[in-house]
Amino acid sequence: MIYFDNNATTPLAPEVLDAFQDSLRNFGNPSSVHQAGQKARRLLNESREKIASLLGVSESTLTFTSGGTEAINSVLLPLYVREPRGKHLVVSQVEHPAVLQTAAYLESLGVEVTYLPVDSAGCIQVDEVKASLKPQTLVVAIMWANNETGNLYPVKAIGEMLREQGVLYLCDGVQAVGKLPVDLGRLPVDFMPASAHKFHGPKGVGFLYTREGVSLDPLIRGGRQERGQRAGTENLPGIAALAGALELADQSLMAGMRKVERLRDRLEQGILEKIPGARIHGDASHRLYNTSNISIPGVPGEAALINLDMSGLAISIGSACESGSVDPSHVLKAMGLSDEVASSGLRFSLSRYNTAAEVEKALRLITDVVERIRNAA
Ligand code: PLP
């Protein structure tokens, strides 16, 4: 199988698998006093130190979670649930459902929510974010990299403006951390969730970065793990593997970025050359180097996905978390595209493990499948 669905999840890096298995044998509870507990605590501390140093932040800013969704909920729910009325939240219309569904829930409790529109390339200008603020705005949630189009948002400029305005910035970094150079300590964001399975780590583990000096009530209450910020015995194998995966990503970042961009560009060039009418969606000049969102007239996304899968190429349409439903992509719809086009956006997302030979084979499979679907129509 050729796997071009790395924004949904990534295969575990082989080196990380070893770290994962080793830490499964280190079975102690990091909260226990005995030696097994101390050994586990050391691994937990070392993992946190490694991640903090890779991101340029202090260890106390990192709280391990079960992934991006929990980290996002851990910010928004405690800040709004206690007194929802009279508070305002701004989220972009192209956020992941982890943000949008949480915002919709808060709205049902009485929070005023602004869903910030994007232009036809999926872009948002800082001035538009500023214009959406109200005296009662507590948080703005605008992601770093979009999971469907790969669009990159002007995080630094948005963060600087929000800091001047005294508004907290939740920047969803799930598709950016491990894929882009991240100097978190210098970024003007208050909260950044990240998730290991997006950068060749395991599923079910991630972290929330909370800027020093910003206080947040815990979402999950119980024991005193994670400085009381997130109760529950830590997922130590997952955390150790997350640290290993981030270190590996960091080591291969620059070479990996260039390689993957070349593969993605070749894929796009081949599709545009061979398939009349194919159209790339997103901001061509500010996109994640691994992502391509393409619609092909007369080729429904679902039919393409199923046929490609049967031919041995794994891709996705819309966001993986929404698959199983045939709803058009909310991201493409926010960009002003019709239901028909928004249902036919094919997402190709590559990783450093993909090869040029796979891209050439994928191009053949895509042209065959498109021809078959068009002929059958
Ligand atoms: N945010 C973005 C941009 C994502 O792409 C995803 C996963 O697809 C999430 C949040 C949710 O992360 P997790 O799967 O770790 O809960």
Side-chain angles (χ1 to χ4, degrees):
M1 178 191 49
I2 301 175
Y3 188 76
F4 284 178
D5 198 15
N6 289 278
N7 287 6
T9 197
T10 54
L12 202 67
E15 299 88 333
V16 173
L17 184 58
D18 292 342
F20 192 63
Q21 282 169 340
D22 283 351
S23 54
L24 281 173
R25 281 185 280 272
N26 185 352
F27 69 91
N29 184 330
S31 302
S32 300
V33 175
H34 48 62
Q35 289 183 37
Q38 288 171 29
K39 198 171 162 211
R41 161 74 43 191
R42 269 199 301 281
L43 182 58
L44 180 65
N45 291 344
E46 283 163 17
S47 304
R48 198 190 310 273
E49 279 161 25
K50 196 182 274 181
I51 299 165
S53 114
L54 288 166
L55 300 177
V57 296
S58 80
E59 290 141 45
S60 61
T61 61
L62 300 174
T63 306
F64 291 116
T65 65
S66 66
T69 302
E70 182 192 317
I72 289 164
N73 276 264
S74 307
V75 175
L76 293 177
L77 295 182
L79 285 174
Y80 283 96
V81 158
R82 196 184 293 168
E83 275 178 45
R85 291 192 185 276
K87 285 189 184 151
H88 180 227
L89 165 67
V90 178
V91 302
S92 87
Q93 289 183 4
V94 295
E95 294 301 301
H96 187 272
V99 170
L100 289 175
Q101 294 300 320
T102 309
Y105 170 65
L106 292 173
E107 202 172 18
S108 76
L109 300 182
V111 174
E112 188 189 349
V113 181
T114 297
Y115 296 90
L116 207 62
V118 296
D119 68 16
S120 60
C123 301
I124 298 173
Q125 306 306 325
V126 183
D127 288 352
E128 294 160 351
V129 184
K130 191 170 180 185
S132 72
L133 301 179
K134 302 186 177 201
Q136 61 279 25
T137 313
L138 204 59
V139 179
V140 168
I142 296 177
M143 66 205 329
W144 191 343
N146 186 273
N147 43 306
E148 293 194 34
T149 57
N151 272 12
L152 297 171
Y153 290 93
V155 171
K156 190 161 175 284
I158 294 173
E160 280 165 359
M161 181 278 291
L162 290 176
R163 197 156 284 181
E164 268 170 29
Q165 300 295 317
V167 173
L168 293 168
Y169 184 15
L170 163 60
C171 176
D172 179 350
V174 168
Q175 293 291 345
V177 174
K179 285 189 185 139
L180 296 173
V182 180
D183 195 355
L184 247 187
R186 285 168 184 263
L187 264 192
V189 305
D190 297 291
F191 308 105
M192 184 170 289
S195 183
H197 75 105
K198 306 294 185 182
F199 51 89
H200 306 284
K203 292 163 194 47
V205 63
F207 62 80
L208 173 66
Y209 160 77
T210 306
R211 186 168 65 83
E212 250 168 278
V214 177
S215 79
L216 201 56
D217 281 345
L219 173 69
I220 298 179
R221 289 163 191 278
R224 281 179 291 169
Q225 292 91 350
E226 298 297 290
R227 306 170 318 284
Q229 283 300 120
R230 200 272 192 180
T233 303
E234 298 86 349
N235 171 4
L236 193 54
I239 291 168
L242 187 166
L246 194 61
E247 190 174 37
L248 261 181
D250 186 67
Q251 285 161 0
S252 52
L253 200 61
M254 289 307 167
M257 281 169 64
R258 279 193 295 273
K259 174 193 154 177
V260 175
E261 185 166 39
R262 274 198 298 274
L263 296 179
R264 193 273 316 264
D265 290 351
R266 166 68 192 133
L267 181 73
E268 286 190 341
Q269 179 216 5
I271 292 178
L272 293 179
E273 262 171 31
K274 289 178 188 200
I275 303 175
R279 181 171 162 202
I280 300 172
H281 303 291
D283 179 5
S285 53
H286 295 100
R287 259 188 320 164
L288 268 182
Y289 55 89
N290 79 320
T291 308
S292 182
N293 193 310
I294 299 186
S295 64
I296 299 171
V299 178
E302 233 198 339
L305 180 135
I306 292 166
N307 278 280
L308 287 172
D309 184 36
M310 289 190 312
S311 313
L313 173 62
I315 62 153
S316 69
I317 46 172
S319 132
C321 313
E322 292 169 305
S323 65
S325 76
V326 284
D327 290 347
S329 147
H330 73 280
V331 174
L332 298 186
K333 284 206 70 169
M335 290 159 64
L337 295 165
S338 65
D339 277 5
E340 194 193 338
V341 178
S343 307
S344 64
L346 308 178
R347 181 183 71 182
F348 302 89
S349 49
L350 280 62
S351 83
R352 63 179 186 269
Y353 293 102
N354 290 124
T355 64
E358 284 181 325
V359 169
E360 296 310 318
K361 181 154 185 219
L363 280 171
R364 287 195 294 278
L365 297 176
I366 296 163
T367 34
D368 283 356
V369 160
V370 166
E371 205 178 290
R372 232 184 300 144
I373 294 176
R374 279 182 171 168
N375 287 343

